Tab-separated table of all heavy atoms in Angstrom:
chain	number	residue	atom	x	y	z
A	1	ILE	N	43.025	-199.310	52.243
A	1	ILE	CA	44.328	-199.598	51.875
A	1	ILE	C	44.646	-200.364	50.653
A	1	ILE	O	44.054	-201.390	50.525
A	1	ILE	CB	45.189	-200.097	53.012
A	1	ILE	CG1	45.292	-199.127	54.172
A	1	ILE	CG2	46.587	-200.439	52.667
A	1	ILE	CD1	45.816	-199.660	55.499
A	2	ARG	N	45.322	-199.669	49.775
A	2	ARG	CA	45.651	-200.372	48.449
A	2	ARG	C	47.153	-200.762	48.658
A	2	ARG	O	48.004	-199.932	48.863
A	2	ARG	CB	45.417	-199.546	47.222
A	2	ARG	CG	44.074	-199.165	47.039
A	2	ARG	CD	43.119	-200.226	46.525
A	2	ARG	NE	41.811	-199.910	46.689
A	2	ARG	CZ	40.994	-200.170	47.740
A	2	ARG	NH1	41.435	-200.858	48.739
A	2	ARG	NH2	39.629	-199.821	47.690
A	3	ASP	N	47.438	-202.061	48.369
A	3	ASP	CA	48.811	-202.549	48.744
A	3	ASP	C	49.948	-201.809	48.240
A	3	ASP	O	50.031	-201.610	46.928
A	3	ASP	CB	48.831	-204.029	48.289
A	3	ASP	CG	48.083	-204.940	49.403
A	3	ASP	OD1	47.427	-204.292	50.228
A	3	ASP	OD2	47.936	-206.143	49.125
A	4	GLY	N	50.810	-201.462	49.137
A	4	GLY	CA	52.335	-201.148	48.695
A	4	GLY	C	52.463	-199.954	47.975
A	4	GLY	O	53.536	-199.755	47.387
A	5	GLN	N	51.585	-199.080	47.847
A	5	GLN	CA	51.840	-197.772	47.030
A	5	GLN	C	52.093	-196.731	48.026
A	5	GLN	O	51.341	-196.462	48.896
A	5	GLN	CB	50.525	-197.341	46.172
A	5	GLN	CG	50.214	-198.325	45.135
A	5	GLN	CD	51.286	-198.618	44.194
A	5	GLN	OE1	51.981	-197.740	43.536
A	5	GLN	NE2	51.663	-199.842	43.907
A	6	PRO	N	53.240	-195.913	47.701
A	6	PRO	CA	53.438	-194.840	48.657
A	6	PRO	C	52.274	-193.776	48.253
A	6	PRO	O	52.001	-193.527	47.191
A	6	PRO	CB	54.782	-194.163	48.054
A	6	PRO	CG	55.435	-195.303	47.237
A	6	PRO	CD	54.353	-196.105	46.832
A	7	ASN	N	51.774	-193.302	49.378
A	7	ASN	CA	50.602	-192.202	49.339
A	7	ASN	C	50.882	-191.031	50.024
A	7	ASN	O	51.514	-191.063	51.063
A	7	ASN	CB	49.309	-192.950	49.683
A	7	ASN	CG	48.648	-193.861	48.640
A	7	ASN	OD1	48.313	-193.375	47.644
A	7	ASN	ND2	48.479	-195.108	49.157
A	8	CYS	N	50.497	-189.861	49.384
A	8	CYS	CA	50.573	-188.657	50.065
A	8	CYS	C	49.208	-188.232	50.754
A	8	CYS	O	48.148	-188.256	50.032
A	8	CYS	CB	50.948	-187.593	49.122
A	8	CYS	SG	51.137	-185.898	49.759
A	9	TYR	N	49.334	-187.953	52.123
A	9	TYR	CA	48.005	-187.572	52.847
A	9	TYR	C	48.093	-186.308	53.387
A	9	TYR	O	49.239	-185.925	53.956
A	9	TYR	CB	47.739	-188.713	53.962
A	9	TYR	CG	47.626	-190.069	53.583
A	9	TYR	CD1	48.637	-190.921	53.423
A	9	TYR	CD2	46.236	-190.430	53.284
A	9	TYR	CE1	48.413	-192.253	52.904
A	9	TYR	CE2	46.026	-191.882	52.906
A	9	TYR	CZ	47.015	-192.697	52.718
A	9	TYR	OH	47.038	-193.963	52.332
A	10	VAL	N	47.077	-185.538	53.204
A	10	VAL	CA	47.065	-184.020	53.762
A	10	VAL	C	46.791	-184.181	55.229
A	10	VAL	O	45.892	-184.913	55.637
A	10	VAL	CB	45.955	-183.271	53.086
A	10	VAL	CG1	45.912	-181.799	53.862
A	10	VAL	CG2	46.224	-183.071	51.533
A	11	LEU	N	47.608	-183.626	56.144
A	11	LEU	CA	47.454	-183.642	57.457
A	11	LEU	C	46.241	-182.830	57.833
A	11	LEU	O	46.026	-181.712	57.259
A	11	LEU	CB	48.761	-183.025	58.149
A	11	LEU	CG	49.918	-183.895	58.101
A	11	LEU	CD1	51.127	-183.266	58.548
A	11	LEU	CD2	49.715	-185.263	59.003
A	12	LYS	N	45.452	-183.394	58.838
A	12	LYS	CA	44.096	-182.849	59.071
A	12	LYS	C	44.262	-182.314	60.610
A	12	LYS	O	45.224	-182.587	61.372
A	12	LYS	CB	42.927	-183.823	59.110
A	12	LYS	CG	42.896	-184.418	57.728
A	12	LYS	CD	42.008	-183.450	56.769
A	12	LYS	CE	41.604	-184.064	55.441
A	12	LYS	NZ	40.745	-185.258	55.561
A	13	ASN	N	43.293	-181.526	61.011
A	13	ASN	CA	43.220	-181.077	62.308
A	13	ASN	C	42.800	-182.207	63.219
A	13	ASN	O	42.510	-183.326	62.838
A	13	ASN	CB	42.326	-179.701	62.503
A	13	ASN	CG	40.827	-180.134	62.205
A	13	ASN	OD1	40.554	-181.172	61.802
A	13	ASN	ND2	40.015	-178.995	62.289
A	14	LYS	N	42.711	-181.885	64.588
A	14	LYS	CA	42.489	-182.941	65.580
A	14	LYS	C	41.229	-183.682	65.447
A	14	LYS	O	41.213	-185.002	65.594
A	14	LYS	CB	42.440	-182.332	67.027
A	14	LYS	CG	43.847	-182.124	67.564
A	14	LYS	CD	43.876	-181.572	69.027
A	14	LYS	CE	45.331	-181.506	69.514
A	14	LYS	NZ	45.625	-180.129	70.007
A	15	ASP	N	40.141	-183.028	64.891
A	15	ASP	CA	38.936	-183.732	64.672
A	15	ASP	C	38.694	-184.176	63.225
A	15	ASP	O	37.729	-184.716	62.899
A	15	ASP	CB	37.712	-182.928	65.256
A	15	ASP	CG	37.570	-181.601	64.535
A	15	ASP	OD1	38.234	-181.375	63.550
A	15	ASP	OD2	36.895	-180.799	65.073
A	16	LEU	N	39.794	-184.217	62.475
A	16	LEU	CA	39.998	-184.638	61.126
A	16	LEU	C	38.919	-184.039	60.224
A	16	LEU	O	38.609	-184.444	59.181
A	16	LEU	CB	39.621	-186.118	61.194
A	16	LEU	CG	40.693	-186.996	61.895
A	16	LEU	CD1	40.275	-188.354	62.063
A	16	LEU	CD2	42.067	-186.890	60.951
A	17	GLU	N	38.548	-182.789	60.565
A	17	GLU	CA	37.495	-182.046	59.723
A	17	GLU	C	37.924	-181.075	58.614
A	17	GLU	O	37.265	-180.891	57.906
A	17	GLU	CB	36.409	-181.287	60.626
A	17	GLU	CG	35.522	-182.343	61.292
A	17	GLU	CD	34.474	-181.780	62.176
A	17	GLU	OE1	34.447	-180.492	62.295
A	17	GLU	OE2	33.602	-182.470	62.737
A	18	GLN	N	39.108	-180.656	58.950
A	18	GLN	CA	39.768	-179.752	57.809
A	18	GLN	C	41.206	-179.947	57.872
A	18	GLN	O	41.814	-180.518	58.701
A	18	GLN	CB	39.314	-178.214	58.146
A	18	GLN	CG	39.784	-177.801	59.508
A	18	GLN	CD	38.840	-176.678	59.878
A	18	GLN	OE1	37.616	-176.662	59.712
A	18	GLN	NE2	39.344	-175.646	60.632
A	19	ALA	N	41.821	-179.434	56.695
A	19	ALA	CA	43.230	-179.614	56.566
A	19	ALA	C	43.832	-178.784	57.558
A	19	ALA	O	43.488	-177.657	57.974
A	19	ALA	CB	43.622	-179.094	55.026
A	20	PHE	N	45.041	-179.187	58.091
A	20	PHE	CA	45.940	-178.513	58.941
A	20	PHE	C	47.048	-177.745	58.263
A	20	PHE	O	46.903	-176.733	57.714
A	20	PHE	CB	46.291	-179.427	60.097
A	20	PHE	CG	46.926	-178.794	61.257
A	20	PHE	CD1	45.992	-178.011	62.201
A	20	PHE	CD2	48.312	-178.792	61.689
A	20	PHE	CE1	46.546	-177.490	63.302
A	20	PHE	CE2	48.740	-178.221	62.746
A	20	PHE	CZ	47.883	-177.579	63.626
A	21	LYS	N	48.198	-178.450	58.235
A	21	LYS	CA	49.405	-177.849	57.545
A	21	LYS	C	50.263	-178.936	57.148
A	21	LYS	O	50.515	-179.850	57.913
A	21	LYS	CB	50.102	-176.722	58.261
A	21	LYS	CG	51.207	-176.222	57.451
A	21	LYS	CD	51.506	-174.839	57.781
A	21	LYS	CE	52.782	-174.150	57.112
A	21	LYS	NZ	53.182	-174.729	55.822
A	22	GLY	N	50.638	-179.100	55.904
A	22	GLY	CA	51.686	-180.155	55.457
A	22	GLY	C	51.021	-181.492	55.002
A	22	GLY	O	49.749	-181.594	55.112
A	23	VAL	N	51.899	-182.334	54.580
A	23	VAL	CA	51.469	-183.612	54.269
A	23	VAL	C	52.425	-184.716	54.706
A	23	VAL	O	53.380	-184.437	55.226
A	23	VAL	CB	51.619	-183.627	52.593
A	23	VAL	CG1	50.514	-182.818	51.942
A	23	VAL	CG2	52.939	-183.481	52.006
A	24	ILE	N	51.854	-185.992	54.717
A	24	ILE	CA	52.745	-187.152	55.123
A	24	ILE	C	52.642	-188.151	54.089
A	24	ILE	O	51.749	-188.309	53.384
A	24	ILE	CB	52.354	-187.581	56.614
A	24	ILE	CG1	53.336	-188.551	57.130
A	24	ILE	CG2	50.782	-188.104	56.506
A	24	ILE	CD1	53.090	-188.874	58.543
A	25	TYR	N	53.822	-188.857	54.026
A	25	TYR	CA	53.966	-189.936	53.002
A	25	TYR	C	53.973	-191.210	53.564
A	25	TYR	O	54.797	-191.489	54.502
A	25	TYR	CB	55.212	-189.772	52.072
A	25	TYR	CG	55.070	-188.465	51.176
A	25	TYR	CD1	55.428	-187.225	51.583
A	25	TYR	CD2	54.774	-188.628	49.791
A	25	TYR	CE1	55.414	-186.112	50.815
A	25	TYR	CE2	54.657	-187.588	48.992
A	25	TYR	CZ	54.964	-186.342	49.436
A	25	TYR	OH	54.877	-185.083	48.630
A	26	LEU	N	53.041	-192.070	53.326
A	26	LEU	CA	52.950	-193.430	54.027
A	26	LEU	C	52.807	-194.489	52.821
A	26	LEU	O	52.174	-194.244	51.836
A	26	LEU	CB	51.751	-193.532	54.807
A	26	LEU	CG	51.666	-192.415	55.896
A	26	LEU	CD1	50.153	-192.502	56.638
A	26	LEU	CD2	52.662	-192.707	57.074
A	27	GLU	N	53.446	-195.614	53.211
A	27	GLU	CA	53.264	-196.837	52.352
A	27	GLU	C	52.729	-197.944	53.258
A	27	GLU	O	53.485	-198.245	54.190
A	27	GLU	CB	54.674	-197.130	51.710
A	27	GLU	CG	54.716	-198.018	50.592
A	27	GLU	CD	56.178	-198.187	50.017
A	27	GLU	OE1	56.802	-197.216	49.775
A	27	GLU	OE2	56.673	-199.459	50.094
A	28	MET	N	51.589	-198.480	52.798
A	28	MET	CA	51.096	-199.538	53.633
A	28	MET	C	50.713	-200.762	52.889
A	28	MET	O	50.371	-200.792	51.677
A	28	MET	CB	49.751	-199.001	54.217
A	28	MET	CG	50.089	-197.811	55.322
A	28	MET	SD	48.660	-196.936	55.749
A	28	MET	CE	48.307	-196.047	54.242
A	29	ASP	N	50.892	-201.958	53.597
A	29	ASP	CA	50.753	-203.222	53.041
A	29	ASP	C	49.963	-204.000	54.040
A	29	ASP	O	50.281	-204.019	55.277
A	29	ASP	CB	51.964	-203.914	52.868
A	29	ASP	CG	52.333	-203.990	51.395
A	29	ASP	OD1	51.530	-204.417	50.560
A	29	ASP	OD2	53.592	-203.914	51.102
């Protein structure tokens, strides 16, 4: 985590091995 930057993450499948559909935007500190 790099502080305070909004990031766009590609949503993955249940075992996190491949892209699923869509993206999510998270900002973490």
Side-chain angles (χ1 to χ4, degrees):
I1 292 173
R2 301 288 169 263
D3 284 354
Q5 296 301 313
N7 279 302
C8 177
Y9 296 91
V10 174
L11 289 166
K12 302 280 186 63
N13 64 356
K14 282 185 176 122
D15 54 17
L16 297 166
E17 282 178 4
Q18 55 206 40
F20 194 70
K21 175 142 175 37
V23 295
I24 189 166
Y25 292 84
L26 304 170
E27 193 177 300
M28 289 167 292
D29 253 316

